[in-house]
Structure formats: C-alpha cells, structure tokens
Amino acid sequence: MTDTIDIAANLAQVRQRMAAAAQRAGRSLDEITLLAVSKTHPVGLIAQALTAGQRDFGENRVEEAWAKFADPDSPESLTSRLSAADRPRLHLIGPIQSRKASLAVACRPALIHAVDRLKIAARLDRLASEAQIVQEVLLEVNVAGEASKFGFSPLELHRDAETILALPHLRVAGLMTIPPYEPEPEAARPHFVALRRLRDQLAQRHPQAAWRQLSMGMSHDFETAIEEGATIVRVGTAIFGRRDA
C-alpha cells in the first residue's frame, strides 16, 4: 500500500488547503507550521517527504522516535543517513511517561508538545539540566474535560503555570490540545476557540513566556484549527495514508 502513496502530491494538497484556510482567516501561511505525523510509518516514506521539502515530523512513541530520528548507532536512523543541515526537525507529540523522559530528552526534539502535568514538567527540567540544554515545550490542555484524555484542565493550568514557567531548563512556547473526535470538523471549533482564549489569558497573566504556539488540528479538522489561530497543525493520514497500527 505504501508503494502507491504519492507523498509529494499529498503534501502539496495539504499545503494548498492550509493556504486557503489561512486566507479565509486573514492570516499569513508563514505563521503556520505543517507537522507531518509519521508515527508507525517507515523511514522510507519520511525520506520521500523530506525530498518534497517537509522538515517538521511528529512521533507519538519515544522509542520509535529515537530509532527513526535520533539513534546515532543505527544505520536506519535519519541521524546516520543525513547531514546535519538536511536532518528533519523532530516533534514529540505523545504523552511522556516518567520512565521514558530521559530518552525523550536524548532525542533532542525541536519541541515536546504534550507536557500534561506538573510532575513530568519537573522531570524534563531536571533531565534537560543534566543534558545542558533548554528544552522547548508546549503544555497539553484537556479543553473538553474528557476522562480518557491527557492534559491539564484549564483550572489546573492556571494554578500550575507559575511553577512551570519558573523551571529554568524548560521554555514554554504555548499550548496543545486534542479535541474529542467528531466526523464533522465544525464540531471541533469550540475547542479550538477555548484553547486560543486560554492562551490569551495565560499570556496576559504570565507575559514572561512567549505563548506563541497553538498546536491544534489534525487531518480531518486542521482547516478549522487554522481559522481559529493554530500555529502548528499535526497532519498524518492526509500525507502518509492510514497507519498500519
């Protein structure tokens, strides 16, 4: 199945849809990063996307991200196969378990999207300190209050934001959310609006952080997310096809 996927054509179509959504919202496309979600897809498809000009990739599982993007000892990893100038920018978009936080930091991701509780923020800060880096992160918000979803509630985030912002080896760049799945993209709009408004409240209360990024929107609803202020859209199926797992 993957042999028949035209990654370059899919990327071009997604970018056209992004541009149209940005135009409807009176925004510049330059404000919005397309994050190609490559979880479970082979390195060969990622290489095709790189050839087509895609640079930012998202992985859910830390071990898979390490094997595909960061392991210096694996001949299959993109670190081994590409020069530093040509390597992709890795984003970790899944929740980080405490026992995998060390590997997450070792991946040197451009951005960790899913810091979902104070405990993991503190652990990542300590590990980043040991690695002598400052790790850029987003704070995941469970805007819909779903019991099955990870993330701070808005109330918890207001309570914990000051503590997280004081961590010296984390740089909070904004917020991320995954709304409840609904086939109709319009159903996600209230959740995107809620995240944007929460970001604006936090930016007013805590101006020491940038709060620029809003990571929201996936293959079926990224256009709606762009209309509501998304700066990063996480698109997998529309680029790589349906996942094998």
Side-chain angles (χ1 to χ4, degrees):
M1 177 180 172
T2 57
D3 291 338
T4 65
I5 295 174
D6 190 334
I7 299 295
N10 289 349
L11 279 166
Q13 185 176 59
V14 168
R15 289 168 182 152
Q16 288 172 359
R17 291 168 61 189
M18 289 174 63
Q23 185 174 39
R24 288 194 298 271
R27 301 180 62 199
S28 169
L29 186 60
D30 292 340
E31 302 171 6
I32 306 157
T33 297
L34 171 59
L35 180 59
V37 177
S38 49
K39 61 182 182 181
T40 78
H41 294 295
V43 169
L45 289 186
I46 299 170
Q48 289 183 43
L50 280 164
T51 300
Q54 179 62 27
R55 282 293 173 267
D56 292 88
F57 294 85
E59 291 284 336
N60 272 47
R61 300 183 181 95
V62 174
E63 298 97 331
E64 184 179 356
W66 173 258
K68 287 157 67 173
F69 288 88
D71 186 352
D73 298 322
S74 170
E76 297 302 314
S77 80
L78 291 163
T79 293
S80 302
R81 293 168 57 172
L82 298 172
S83 68
D86 294 331
R87 287 172 193 162
R89 291 185 290 267
L90 170 65
H91 297 235
L92 295 178
I93 61 174
I96 306 294
Q97 298 175 344
S98 292
R99 63 188 176 87
K100 298 179 182 178
S102 180
L103 187 60
V105 170
C107 284
R108 296 294 192 272
L111 187 61
I112 294 177
H113 287 233
V115 174
D116 58 0
R117 58 201 187 281
L118 182 57
K119 178 182 176 182
I120 198 63
R123 185 168 180 80
L124 288 170
D125 175 72
R126 179 177 62 79
L127 291 164
S129 174
E130 292 172 359
Q132 298 183 322
I133 64 171
V134 176
Q135 176 63 57
E136 191 162 57
V137 301
L138 304 180
L139 305 179
E140 182 176 2
V141 186
N142 185 354
V143 290
E146 292 181 278
S148 61
K149 290 279 178 68
F150 296 94
F152 293 91
S153 70
L155 184 62
E156 289 170 337
L157 191 51
H158 277 297
R159 181 194 68 199
D160 294 337
E162 192 72 42
T163 302
I164 295 171
L165 292 175
L167 296 170
H169 290 272
L170 293 188
R171 180 180 296 122
V172 175
L175 304 178
M176 176 266 225
T177 198
I178 304 173
Y181 178 80
E182 295 285 350
E184 174 51 55
E186 191 63 27
R189 190 180 298 274
H191 304 294
F192 298 149
V193 171
L195 191 73
R196 187 187 72 238
R197 289 176 175 169
L198 177 60
R199 185 275 309 274
D200 292 346
Q201 292 169 3
L202 290 163
Q204 189 170 36
R205 291 182 60 182
H206 307 283
Q208 68 270 39
W211 300 111
R212 190 181 76 81
Q213 303 289 3
L214 287 175
S215 174
M216 58 189 196
M218 296 185 282
S219 284
H220 72 294
D221 58 13
F222 68 84
E223 291 149 302
T224 304
I226 288 171
E227 291 170 1
E228 295 302 337
T231 63
I232 302 172
V233 291
R234 309 180 303 270
V235 180
T237 302
I239 297 171
F240 295 108
R242 295 200 174 275
R243 298 191 303 271
D244 295 330

